[in-house]
Amino acid sequence: MLRMSKLTDYGTLILAHLSGTGDELQTAADIAGRTGLGVPTASKLLKILGKAGLVTSVRGSHGGYQLARSADQISAAEVIDALEGPVAITVCSNGVGNCEIESLCLVGSAWQRINVAIRRALKDVSLAQLTVTTGTDYPLIDLTSAVRPEEQHLGKDGSH
Amino acid sequence: MLRMSKLTDYGTLILAHLSGTGDELQTAADIAGRTGLGVPTASKLLKILGKAGLVTSVRGSHGGYQLARSADQISAAEVIDALEGPVAITVCSNGVGNCEIESLCLVGSAWQRINVAIRRALKDVSLAQLTVTTGTDYPLIDLTSAVRPEEQHLGKDGSH
DNA sequence: TTAATTCGGACCATTTTAGTACCTTTTGCG
DNA sequence: CGCAAAAGGTACTAAAATGGTCCGAATTAA
């Protein structure tokens, strides 16, 4: 759950690094060196981040990269969007209502709702917050309303 | 984000189907037919779900499968655990403190915190709730405390 | 013009995922 | 007892995603 690819991790790392270097331009090679990533990999990620509008780039000699906005104006949701792409849950491809596996649509849409909820929560977490080292307390997430207000009396089993 | 494999979707589908058939035993072939899945695939999934303790099985002729508990006693977190396995974010493998990419640990742990929070929320969503078709309202998730109480005044950009 | 850089692809190796098959074990029933 | 109908386990193969690399084109400062 919440499986992230390595590249997403690396991308976050780059963004974190960039958020600590003011507004000086940093070359891809530079960033690679500081983060420990390979130059081609860092370069690739920077392109992706650039396309997503999270970093700005200056071409030509003396060019480089820079955070497009301050770290507290970049949300975790944007970071994930940029690096993982918009992720779709296996949806029935026949259009709503006419799929042969009727129930798949329903189940799929349930996960989808949860997905949306999580994504929404991630919009309120900033890159700046992500890079904070301290803060061992875990977030509170309430999904109960995702599923319908009335069913809330159950649960409470404490299993597994 | 929240990338789920097809099998997880299928598995949920099977569970959803099973939650609608009382306590009669259903053969793998039966379930496959009703859900539209291939028999080998359904069979494979049922084995996995069985091992995870979400369904019980009866062997021998006249055997079959059955939900191990009622649908509201099975949490979404368990479903994901069973089908996706315990998922770890790319962690630095050198042990905390001595990884060459120092910041990777930190960033990784941030995602980890978020991961934990999400998983916790998923524990409160039951299979029964997942299969409810109505309920178009989305869940509320609050990640702010995941990152530190004091930083809460930011955000509010409404970008993208 | 030359050197430093980003940009945009294409490309390939490795890993994951999905699906299938085969054989074993268990159990009801004639 | 012996057969048939089931689940259980394992291993295998094909396809897709992932991670990583490289190369040529475009851009710009000196």
Side-chain angles (χ1 to χ4, degrees):
Chain A
M1 148 91 304
L2 209 169
R3 215 172 354 169
M4 301 197 329
S5 70
K6 274 193 205 172
L7 288 189
T8 300
D9 250 339
Y10 295 162
T12 314
L13 177 55
I14 290 180
L15 289 173
H17 169 67
L18 244 30
S19 78
T21 60
D23 48 357
E24 334 163 15
L25 287 179
Q26 306 250 321
T27 71
D30 227 350
I31 295 170
R34 297 305 191 82
T35 54
L37 302 173
V39 179
T41 300
S43 184
K44 181 184 193 172
L45 284 167
L46 284 163
K47 290 173 201 169
I48 294 174
L49 293 172
K51 225 180 261 181
L54 298 185
V55 304
T56 54
S57 61
V58 175
R59 302 183 64 165
S61 115
H62 288 187
Y65 294 94
Q66 196 181 8
L67 228 48
R69 288 166 263 154
S70 74
D72 50 20
Q73 296 293 323
I74 294 179
S75 74
E78 287 176 289
V79 175
I80 291 204
D81 279 347
L83 295 165
E84 307 255 309
V87 181
I89 291 195
T90 318
V91 219
C92 87
S93 42
N94 307 12
V96 181
N98 13 329
C99 66
E100 74 270 28
I101 314 183
E102 345 92 46
S103 21
L104 181 54
C105 287
L106 308 178
V107 170
S109 81
W111 285 121
Q112 203 86 35
R113 280 198 311 264
I114 289 183
N115 200 17
V116 168
I118 292 177
R119 168 172 247 97
R120 185 184 290 169
L122 248 26
K123 253 187 101 168
D124 292 332
V125 176
S126 72
L127 174 61
Q129 290 172 313
L130 264 187
T131 59
V132 168
T133 73
T134 60
T136 29
D137 42 346
Y138 295 107
L140 294 169
I141 303 188
D142 179 19
L143 279 173
T144 47
S145 70
V147 218
R148 283 228 300 194
E150 41 268 46
E151 261 95 359
Q152 284 172 4
H153 53 283
L154 39 76
K156 193 91 2 158
D157 60 56
S159 59
H160 118 6
Chain B
M1 146 95 307
L2 210 167
R3 215 171 356 165
M4 300 198 330
S5 71
K6 274 193 207 172
L7 288 188
T8 301
D9 249 339
Y10 295 162
T12 314
L13 177 55
I14 289 180
L15 289 173
H17 169 67
L18 243 30
S19 79
T21 60
D23 48 358
E24 333 165 15
L25 287 179
Q26 306 250 323
T27 72
D30 227 351
I31 296 171
R34 296 306 190 80
T35 54
L37 301 174
V39 179
T41 300
S43 184
K44 180 184 195 172
L45 284 168
L46 284 162
K47 290 173 200 168
I48 294 174
L49 293 172
K51 224 179 262 181
L54 299 186
V55 304
T56 55
S57 61
V58 175
R59 302 182 64 166
S61 113
H62 288 188
Y65 294 94
Q66 197 181 6
L67 228 48
R69 287 167 263 153
S70 74
D72 49 21
Q73 297 293 322
I74 295 178
S75 74
E78 287 177 289
V79 175
I80 290 202
D81 279 348
L83 295 164
E84 307 255 308
V87 182
I89 291 193
T90 319
V91 218
C92 88
S93 41
N94 307 12
V96 180
N98 15 328
C99 68
E100 74 271 28
I101 314 184
E102 345 92 47
S103 21
L104 182 53
C105 286
L106 309 178
V107 170
S109 81
W111 285 122
Q112 203 87 34
R113 281 199 310 265
I114 290 183
N115 199 18
V116 168
I118 292 177
R119 168 173 245 95
R120 185 184 290 170
L122 248 26
K123 253 187 100 168
D124 293 331
V125 176
S126 72
L127 174 61
Q129 290 171 312
L130 264 187
T131 59
V132 167
T133 72
T134 58
T136 30
D137 41 348
Y138 296 107
L140 293 171
I141 302 188
D142 181 18
L143 280 174
T144 47
S145 70
V147 219
R148 284 228 301 192
E150 42 268 47
E151 260 94 0
Q152 285 174 5
H153 53 283
L154 38 76
K156 192 92 0 152
D157 60 57
S159 58
H160 115 17

